[in-house]
Amino acid sequence: MAFSLQCLLPAIPTIHFNFSSSSSYSSITSTSLFVTPIRSPYNDRKLRREFRCTAMVQQAVQGAPATYAKEMERLSAKESLLLAFRDSGGFEALVTGKTTNMQQIDVNERITSLERLNPSPRPTTSPFLEGRWNIEWFGSGSPVVVAARSIFGRFPPTLANLSKMDIMIKDGYGKVTANLKLLNSIESKIIFSSKLSVEGPLRMKEEYVEGIFESPRVIEEALPEQLKGVFNQAVSTVQQLPGSIRDVVDSGLRIPLSGSFQRLFMISYLDEEILIIRDTAGIPEVLTRLDGPASPLTDPITTEYES
């Protein structure tokens, strides 16, 4: 006995089932079952939906190891760059010009390797951008660096040196602080304030507003004996000045810079620990975070810009 069964099944080739029975309760000795599926829009949609689900599962399974491997590569590149900074002598060697050409090209190579793994597609509006950053590596394009080098390039490091530089970025403004030391006993700071404007997902404009030369602070314990008499006389003279002049001396020398200096730069890498920017000449500057990183759950900075 043969029969045909049609049902709403996915479109698959006709299936034949052949079986025999020797039971005394049945006179059927051979039976053939033919299942002939019917194609329909419903079945086609169901097949496509099942195929997409299968593909997504396979992609998720295959994508997890790939994402982990890329993250490990990024962390390794960060550590490699920080090691290259230390091997090159760090900030002091860079300021005094003691970094060799081989060390410079090695650092630049590692900077490029890390930029390729940038996790921030829109760094100019990322919450990670704000905070206090230490300047680890810089080129010749920064006005702050040019000013600091012009001042301290004329003195040997034993007399005057630039110990460190950092920048605070907050609410669209930047404040660069250069820490100076004279005779290893007199400390001072040069502070440059600037306005930061977002001009694209990667590009920003920096306009310098003001420069402040803070009054020196003397470390009396480290002051040479032959200078202590001169220092005491200077302190006595300042104390005898009128109050208005003394306040000006205490607050430092302020120099307006509005409209004098500005530059464009691009953020080529940003995460919670490292910031890399490049000026219009392509020279990189690398900064490492000094304070705690911003929370990734913080809403990104909503700033309109012209494309």
Side-chain angles (χ1 to χ4, degrees):
M1 172 178 140
F3 59 90
S4 175
L5 174 65
Q6 295 181 337
C7 60
L8 295 177
L9 295 173
I12 55 176
T14 303
I15 304 174
H16 300 271
F17 296 94
N18 294 319
F19 60 90
S20 60
S21 174
S22 57
S23 172
S24 59
Y25 298 99
S26 174
S27 60
I28 302 175
T29 59
S30 179
T31 305
S32 296
L33 174 63
F34 300 93
V35 179
T36 305
I38 296 177
R39 294 183 60 89
S40 69
Y42 170 80
N43 289 331
D44 291 342
R45 287 194 301 269
K46 183 178 179 183
L47 281 176
R48 286 195 298 268
R49 190 162 54 246
E50 291 176 352
F51 177 79
R52 283 196 300 267
C53 293
T54 303
M56 291 174 63
V57 171
Q58 292 176 347
Q59 184 179 7
V61 173
Q62 296 173 358
T67 302
Y68 176 80
K70 186 174 181 179
E71 181 65 13
M72 290 299 100
E73 182 184 6
R74 187 177 69 87
L75 295 177
S76 176
K78 286 173 59 174
E79 184 65 24
S80 177
L81 178 59
L82 296 177
L83 288 175
F85 289 151
R86 288 194 285 269
D87 293 342
S88 66
F91 182 83
E92 181 180 354
L94 192 62
V95 171
T96 56
K98 295 180 180 179
T99 307
T100 66
N101 291 336
M102 184 62 68
Q103 290 170 335
Q104 290 181 8
I105 195 66
D106 182 53
V107 170
N108 286 324
E109 181 181 3
R110 298 175 195 233
I111 289 174
T112 303
S113 298
L114 184 58
E115 287 173 325
R116 180 174 55 85
L117 303 169
N118 181 25
S120 302
R122 305 174 69 89
T124 56
T125 55
S126 170
F128 287 131
L129 181 60
E130 293 196 341
R132 189 162 170 252
W133 299 87
N134 186 53
I135 300 176
E136 298 278 358
W137 189 265
F138 55 82
S140 58
S142 173
V144 177
V145 174
V146 172
R149 279 183 167 175
S150 64
I151 295 173
F152 293 94
R154 303 175 185 179
F155 302 96
T158 54
L159 295 180
N161 64 78
L162 180 62
S163 58
K164 67 175 183 177
M165 292 175 61
D166 61 73
I167 179 172
M168 180 68 186
I169 301 175
K170 183 69 175 178
D171 297 331
Y173 285 88
K175 185 172 72 173
V176 179
T177 302
N179 296 270
L180 321 174
K181 183 173 285 189
L182 305 172
L183 299 173
N184 291 323
S185 57
I186 303 176
E187 295 180 346
S188 183
K189 294 180 180 180
I190 302 178
I191 301 174
F192 291 89
S193 301
S194 62
K195 180 181 179 182
L196 301 174
S197 303
V198 176
E199 296 206 336
L202 303 177
R203 189 175 66 224
M204 300 190 76
K205 182 169 69 173
E206 183 179 27
E207 301 174 90
Y208 287 88
V209 178
E210 184 183 53
I212 303 175
F213 290 83
E214 287 193 352
S215 298
R217 185 178 66 87
V218 178
I219 306 173
E220 296 188 41
E221 297 79 7
L223 193 67
E225 288 294 332
Q226 59 270 27
L227 295 179
K228 287 186 177 181
V230 177
F231 169 70
N232 292 330
Q233 291 179 4
V235 171
S236 177
T237 301
V238 170
Q239 290 177 348
Q240 295 175 7
L241 293 173
S244 58
I245 298 178
R246 193 165 58 246
D247 292 340
V248 172
V249 173
D250 292 339
S251 61
L253 177 63
R254 295 177 178 269
I255 302 175
L257 299 174
S258 298
S260 301
F261 299 99
Q262 67 177 32
R263 66 167 180 162
L264 293 171
F265 65 86
M266 177 188 70
I267 301 178
S268 56
Y269 182 91
L270 174 65
D271 65 13
E272 67 278 7
E273 295 176 330
I274 291 181
L275 167 64
I276 302 177
I277 69 175
R278 288 185 180 268
D279 60 16
T280 53
I283 300 175
E285 298 177 21
V286 182
L287 302 87
T288 56
R289 188 179 294 277
L290 287 174
D291 58 7
S295 172
L297 298 179
T298 304
D299 293 335
I301 304 170
T302 55
T303 305
E304 295 183 358
Y305 56 84
E306 296 180 1
S307 57

